[in-house]
Amino acid sequence: MDQKKQPGIRFKNVFLKNVSFSREPNVPENGSLNFSFECQKTLSEDGKSLVFNLGCNINEKTGAFTIACSFIGLFEAEEIAPNMSLAQFAEENAPALMFPYLREFISSTTLNAGMNPIVLPPINIRALL
């Protein structure tokens, strides 16, 4: 792979796959949270398209609220000159590109639910997964 070139991968779309949210009337302002992340990748047989699923589960330890959601990202190799395989891209770049969508959704959902918004800090999602 040429380090000076772009990967040659196109980010076609991202969308919310599923969401589950519940909260009690009294949510502690400084409650203790549990986080978990998961990902799945599906490469096409010809290696030219990738479906990447990034999910997150968050719950407050007393059970005052839970949120679980997952996003799908659709990627494809550019015909002209891909510089990176989609398999390598799925490991190195796809989670980092999709994390901001997940992060914004969690912040907006918790804010709209009348809670202090949960703002996930910038993290190395690749290392976490």
Side-chain angles (χ1 to χ4, degrees):
M1 182 174 89
D2 184 347
Q3 298 294 324
K4 295 178 185 174
K5 290 177 67 179
Q6 295 298 314
I9 309 293
R10 184 180 5 245
F11 193 174
K12 287 180 59 175
N13 199 359
V14 63
F15 57 88
L16 178 65
K17 178 182 178 188
N18 60 43
V19 64
S20 173
F21 178 83
S22 66
R23 68 159 286 180
E24 297 296 324
N26 297 315
V27 176
E29 285 194 29
N30 295 317
S32 185
L33 303 177
N34 294 316
F35 294 88
S36 66
F37 296 93
E38 56 194 36
C39 67
Q40 293 178 314
K41 58 183 181 261
T42 305
L43 286 165
S44 63
E45 288 186 25
D46 64 4
K48 293 184 179 181
S49 63
L50 166 68
V51 176
F52 194 88
N53 184 1
L54 179 63
C56 179
N57 294 299
I58 304 171
N59 62 38
E60 198 278 325
K61 287 186 180 180
T62 67
F65 84 90
T66 63
I67 185 169
C69 60
S70 65
F71 279 81
I72 297 286
L74 304 176
F75 301 89
E76 66 182 21
E78 293 181 348
E79 295 283 331
I80 299 170
N83 188 35
M84 174 186 277
S85 74
L86 276 173
Q88 182 182 5
F89 181 85
E91 297 295 325
E92 297 180 11
N93 297 78
L97 286 172
M98 291 183 59
F99 184 72
Y101 294 94
L102 184 92
R103 182 176 186 239
E104 188 281 329
F105 180 78
I106 290 169
S107 293
S108 295
T109 301
T110 53
L111 177 66
N112 289 333
M115 301 169 42
N116 285 337
I118 296 174
V119 179
L120 299 175
I123 58 173
N124 184 343
I125 191 74
R126 254 182 64 209
L128 187 63
L129 292 172

